[in-house]
Amino acid sequence: MSMKPLEFDRRYGELDQVISAYTGMPADDEPDRPSEALLAYLRHTWHTRPWALATAEQQIREYARNPPGRLRLSLGEFYPMPDVGLSESAIQDWLLVIADHLKRSVEEGEAPPPAGPRTHWEWHARYPELGQFLGGWFSQDMPDEFPDHDAAVRDYAAGTDPQLVARLTGELHELLALALEESDYALAMAELGMEVDPPRPYSPSGWLAHLADGLGGFEADYGPGSASP
């Protein structure tokens, strides 16, 4: 019998957040150097949920010291550690290194300075609604589903709660405030799930700015409860 969600979160919820940050990234933490994946988790969590860092340290250390035995494995009541590219014998030491980095970060107040996302996990953790929007409405199937980009935006606005549209607008402004190079904005959009090019004549940042300025109008005209023309 698998573990119930509440119990899972109590034991492993924040551990799972940390391990998720390693998706597609090497688990190459050293005692004197956190990995890029762990830095991404620290950077995001310090500036959004700093209280979660101590929970992460506790859950990771407990899991490393008490890995699931045969009974828990047979019952399914354990955290299924994904493949991070390490042997089973190396997992325990690696987890303890992570826990030590988290402990040091909290005790010494070592919060990474604000910076643009550097990993796939960090892009989606920082811009969740933008990831839903680009990945859901601008996949490679978008040209078959909508006549143009504006039609896809209208479809999003028509079926999305106004609070989420407002959240998307805020995330767009935050992304634009990073003042990235155009190639980096193109990379950001790809990381967040966009599989088609922006409409002509817009550059990647130009289209994002167009969306940030125009989403309010789309929502007002086509939001839930509004009549389509």
Side-chain angles (χ1 to χ4, degrees), residues 88-170:
E88 286 191 26
S89 60
I91 290 288
Q92 184 178 30
D93 289 342
W94 171 65
L95 289 173
L96 290 173
V97 168
I98 292 176
D100 288 343
H101 280 303
L102 291 168
K103 180 180 179 181
R104 187 179 307 114
S105 180
V106 173
E107 290 184 342
E108 300 180 9
E110 294 182 353
R118 297 177 185 172
T119 71
H120 181 76
W121 174 89
E122 192 176 8
W123 279 111
H124 284 268
R126 186 160 170 178
Y127 303 107
E129 189 60 26
L130 184 54
Q132 288 287 330
F133 172 67
L134 294 179
W137 277 263
F138 293 94
S139 70
Q140 61 184 355
D141 297 325
M142 173 258 169
D144 297 325
E145 297 176 357
F146 303 104
D148 55 30
H149 289 64
D150 280 354
V153 178
R154 285 193 293 270
D155 185 76
Y156 166 83
T160 303
D161 188 279
Q163 294 183 58
L164 294 178
V165 177
R167 184 178 300 171
L168 172 61
T169 302

Side-chain angles (χ1 to χ4, degrees), residues 30-116:
E30 298 290 345
D32 60 346
R33 180 190 58 79
S35 66
E36 190 67 34
L38 185 57
L39 284 173
Y41 170 82
L42 285 167
R43 185 164 47 244
H44 179 70
T45 307
W46 258 113
H47 295 284
T48 56
R49 303 179 302 119
W51 57 85
L53 294 165
T55 301
E57 186 269 343
Q58 180 184 40
Q59 290 183 357
I60 291 171
R61 197 175 298 280
E62 179 65 21
Y63 187 90
R65 290 174 174 171
N66 298 284
R70 290 183 179 179
L71 177 59
R72 288 167 64 196
L73 287 172
S74 65
L75 293 174
E77 296 185 353
F78 70 101
Y79 177 73
M81 181 67 64
D83 184 4
V84 293
L86 298 175
S87 65
E88 286 191 26
S89 60
I91 290 288
Q92 184 178 30
D93 289 342
W94 171 65
L95 289 173
L96 290 173
V97 168
I98 292 176
D100 288 343
H101 280 303
L102 291 168
K103 180 180 179 181
R104 187 179 307 114
S105 180
V106 173
E107 290 184 342
E108 300 180 9
E110 294 182 353

